[in-house]
Amino acid sequence: MNSFNSILTMLKSIRIQDILDVTIIALMIFATLTWFKTRASRFVLIGITLLGGVYLAARFFQLYLTTIVLQGFFAILLFVLVVIFQEDLRGFFERLAMLGNIGKKFEPLSGLKGTAEIIAQTAVTLAKKRFGALIVVQGTDPLERHINGGTDLDGVVSESLLESLFDPHSIGHDGAVIIEGNRVTKFGCHLPLSVNTSKYGNIGLRHTAALGLSERSDAMCVVVSEERGTISLAHQENLSVVPNAASLHETLEQFYIRNTPGEKSHPALKWFRGNNVEKVIAVVMACFLWVAFGYQKEIVRRDYVIPIEYKNVPKTWQIDEPQVTEAKVILQGPEQAFHLLDERSLKLSLDLSSDIEKKREFILNKDMVNAPSNLSVADIIPAKIHVYASKSITWTFPVTVRTENSLAQHLALQRISVTPSRIRALISSRANAEQIRIETEPIDLQKIYFTTILDTKIVLPAGVSLPEGTSSVASVTIKVKKK
């Protein structure tokens, strides 16, 4: 009964943000699973996932030594992943980028079936003539970064075109031909070589290159051996011999069907429609991670001292000293929400645009604090503050040059002048203008060796400000002579 009540309480506490959180994580897990399920490196990923499960179990059962050791491992896990899955990660992000091509136009499937027949028939003809060939049929993965050299062609696939490209007298006959849809885009290309050829025995360079590209992309490579006159297919990290033309034609046709959307579909939509097992696993794992790390039933309260920002003070008014500059705010929420909180960004904003002329006491409320949505303001101390303000009046003051130390013994001061010699400033209507003194920043006479003109800043006392557009810099002339 207690377990049922706990589950019911957890379900009632679920927010829209939590649903969005689980959805994003589930999509990320789903994309990772569907990408790595056909990769040889998936076994490494499975091993790391099992270690992660052991780590969670160790934390749950408070196995101190195991937790410490695995924490050290996961601290360098990011670098390990980059090294092990370098090629897979690049291909994975390329695939994600390809999902955005919703508006891309695809060749009708009927035309591509004819292309499959042309490729199969050409391969058989080349095999009979003992002409070596390497034909790459592009899938959904981009191939640019895997291909070196080659010449752009952009011609419609035909038997005569393919036979001429692989004729031994042709310049690019030793390279690969790239076919995208029903068009030959490049010929004479060099492909990356595979290093996992031991299980196939002594294979030629074309077969090694075809296998290498199939390990890095979803392309299908048709290889014709000039020594044996056989036809092989390299796809999804496997190399196999094709028994006859009909089998090759059927395999190519099925490849085009898998990689070509219907009239109202797209590869991305097809990708989401399939892989049902991965969908279930992704949702279960995302929910488990949310329960383990995202859900916190305990509400935590923490205190923060934050600055008070006085906003929209009318130009003809100014806040008199002393003024309250800080307030204590008590925030409450789940523990994980505080992990994401940057307390330096917290502040309490008091809008004085209209109320400054009518009242002096302001009640501080929760809406004035820029707390994140997953945290709530429990209390503000003090609950209210007094703001004393007065209208500003314009007054003209003389500018006094402030100096320190003395000139060198061999020098005598003739004159010190400042420009402007008088400035107009804004002061409170309750201030005593005769007691206000406007000075420059101190000038060290000990560093003056000859007549000098320098710019220095005008220092304004508290409660004094300059009208908008007035410069706070003065030019000081110090004239000296030798004794």
Side-chain angles (χ1 to χ4, degrees), residues 311-379:
K311 295 174 57 180
N312 302 324
V313 180
K315 292 182 179 180
T316 57
W317 285 78
Q318 63 179 8
I319 301 174
D320 298 333
E321 297 293 341
Q323 64 183 41
V324 182
T325 58
E326 292 179 335
K328 181 180 179 181
V329 175
I330 301 175
L331 299 180
Q332 66 179 15
E335 177 69 29
Q336 75 273 14
F338 287 98
H339 296 162
L340 303 175
L341 174 65
D342 182 8
E343 59 182 278
R344 294 172 299 178
S345 65
L346 290 174
K347 63 182 177 182
L348 188 150
S349 299
L350 187 59
D351 191 347
L352 303 177
S353 56
S354 58
D355 296 333
I356 193 66
E357 301 181 23
K358 301 176 183 177
K359 61 181 181 179
R360 297 291 178 264
E361 185 179 270
F362 292 86
I363 297 175
L364 305 183
N365 58 62
K366 302 175 182 180
D367 295 332
M368 297 178 180
V369 181
N370 63 331
S373 59
N374 51 0
L375 292 172
S376 60
V377 179
D379 198 8

Side-chain angles (χ1 to χ4, degrees), residues 376-420:
S376 60
V377 179
D379 198 8
I380 302 176
I381 303 172
K384 57 184 178 181
I385 62 174
H386 289 80
V387 178
Y388 300 97
S390 58
K391 279 193 173 183
S392 300
I393 60 173
T394 304
W395 201 271
T396 303
F397 296 93
V399 179
T400 303
V401 178
R402 183 181 171 189
T403 61
E404 58 184 15
N405 299 321
S406 303
L407 291 169
Q409 293 182 355
H410 68 284
L411 294 176
L413 180 62
Q414 285 188 297
R415 179 173 58 88
I416 296 181
S417 60
V418 59
T419 303

